[in-house]
């Protein structure tokens, strides 16, 4: 007789169910479009980005909302109000929660917190930043992509132009640790991004400089054009 299946640990089954929604390629495309943009996205824009009809996009977007991966709000895009202003549009944005699952179970987050605590208590910020800068430079040197924005996308930063000459990062890949150890992790993050700029041809050749410039809901680092700052 086979052994009974062990019960789920820490909501593992729920995480499998949530992430299983992204098994559909159309939903993945829609999620990446909406989650990778600051602010809200409408059905028309999401459908165009995914290359599907508006009705099909609406169906899959609402499935992503049901799974807790996206959130919705309603707003009149015309800015008008009152009679004749039309119905508010249904808009989507990335949900605040995080979801992750590993098979078999791993605890990299716990290891990261333990290491961060030790580094912070030992005052090894500068050593950590040097190591992060070297990692970034090596990634830029060895990567197939020469464009630093492509390198940032590969690492989950979700860069976007803010319309004022800067490139901001919509996602912080280290958010959980950054909330617990802000000075340590944000300093490491800045050094890593500067390393990416310094690799693949050198910082002098890069058109951007990385600075600590937090944006609400995003990464603490922003890229500013060297041309605009001259």
């Amino acid at each position: 007789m086979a052994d009974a299946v062990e019960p789920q640990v820490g909501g593992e089954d729920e995480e499998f169910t949530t992430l299983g929604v992204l098994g559909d390629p159309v939903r993945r495309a829609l999620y990446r479009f909406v989650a990778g943009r600051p602010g809200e996205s409408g059905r028309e824009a999401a459908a165009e980005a995914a290359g599907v009809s508006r009705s099909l996009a609406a169906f899959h977007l609402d499935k992503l909302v049901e799974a807790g991966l996206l959130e919705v709000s309603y707003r009149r895009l015309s800015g008008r109000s009152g009679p004749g202003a039309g119905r508010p549009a249904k808009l989507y944005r990335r949900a605040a929660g995080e979801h992750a699952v590993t098979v078999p179970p791993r605890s990299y987050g716990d290891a990261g917190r333990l290491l961060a605590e030790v580094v912070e208590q030992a005052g090894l910020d500068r050593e950590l930043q040097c190591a992060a800068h070297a990692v970034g430079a090596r990634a830029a040197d060895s990567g197939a992509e020469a464009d630093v924005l492509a390198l940032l996308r590969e690492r989950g930063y979700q860069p976007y132009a803010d319309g004022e000459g800067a490139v901001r990062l919509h996602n912080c890949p280290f958010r959980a640790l950054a909330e617990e150890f802000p000075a340590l992790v944000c300093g490491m993050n800045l050094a890593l991004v500067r390393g990416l700029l310094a690799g693949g041809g050198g910082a002098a050749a890069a058109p951007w400089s990385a600075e600590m410039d937090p944006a609400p809901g995003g990464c603490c680092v922003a890229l500013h054009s060297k041309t605009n700052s001259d």
Side-chain angles (χ1 to χ4, degrees), residues 70-230:
L70 297 180
E71 296 175 346
V72 296
S73 61
Y74 295 87
R75 180 165 53 87
R76 288 188 175 88
L77 299 179
S78 65
R80 294 184 299 170
S81 61
R87 297 172 57 186
K90 192 173 186 178
L91 303 172
Y92 301 82
R93 64 179 180 275
R94 182 181 67 194
E98 294 184 6
H99 302 275
V101 62
T102 57
V103 181
R106 305 298 189 207
S107 297
Y108 300 120
D110 292 339
R113 290 184 190 89
L114 179 61
L115 290 169
E117 186 173 347
V118 171
V119 170
E120 188 171 70
Q121 289 179 355
L124 297 174
D125 302 56
R126 184 178 298 276
E127 287 78 1
L128 177 62
Q129 291 167 18
C130 288
H133 190 279
V135 167
R138 282 201 302 272
D141 287 336
S142 61
E145 294 284 357
D147 180 359
V148 69
L149 300 185
L151 290 169
L152 290 167
R153 287 191 197 94
E154 286 182 355
R155 285 154 183 79
Y157 284 98
Q158 300 177 338
Y160 68 94
D162 69 353
E164 298 178 358
V167 172
R168 298 196 176 274
L169 308 175
H170 183 45
N171 185 53
C172 171
F174 313 110
R175 176 169 297 281
L177 281 178
E179 289 176 349
E180 291 188 50
F181 308 93
L184 180 74
V185 176
C186 292
M188 177 202 72
N189 188 37
L190 176 61
L192 177 63
V193 175
R194 284 178 171 171
L196 288 172
L197 293 173
W208 306 98
S209 63
E211 306 297 339
M212 198 70 82
D213 187 6
C219 177
C220 59
V221 176
L223 304 188
H224 294 276
S225 170
K226 290 181 177 177
T227 301
N228 290 343
S229 62
D230 288 342

Side-chain angles (χ1 to χ4, degrees), residues 17-97:
T17 300
T18 298
L19 296 177
V21 172
L22 293 171
D24 185 286
V26 173
R27 289 180 193 165
R28 283 201 303 276
L30 291 166
Y31 177 78
R32 284 170 175 155
F33 175 76
V34 175
R37 293 160 54 91
E40 302 161 316
S41 299
R43 289 173 169 174
E44 292 283 356
E48 183 178 352
V52 298
S53 68
R54 184 182 183 280
S55 59
L56 183 60
F59 171 79
H60 286 300
L61 285 166
D62 287 342
K63 290 295 181 183
L64 292 167
V65 173
E66 290 176 13
L69 295 169
L70 297 180
E71 296 175 346
V72 296
S73 61
Y74 295 87
R75 180 165 53 87
R76 288 188 175 88
L77 299 179
S78 65
R80 294 184 299 170
S81 61
R87 297 172 57 186
K90 192 173 186 178
L91 303 172
Y92 301 82
R93 64 179 180 275
R94 182 181 67 194

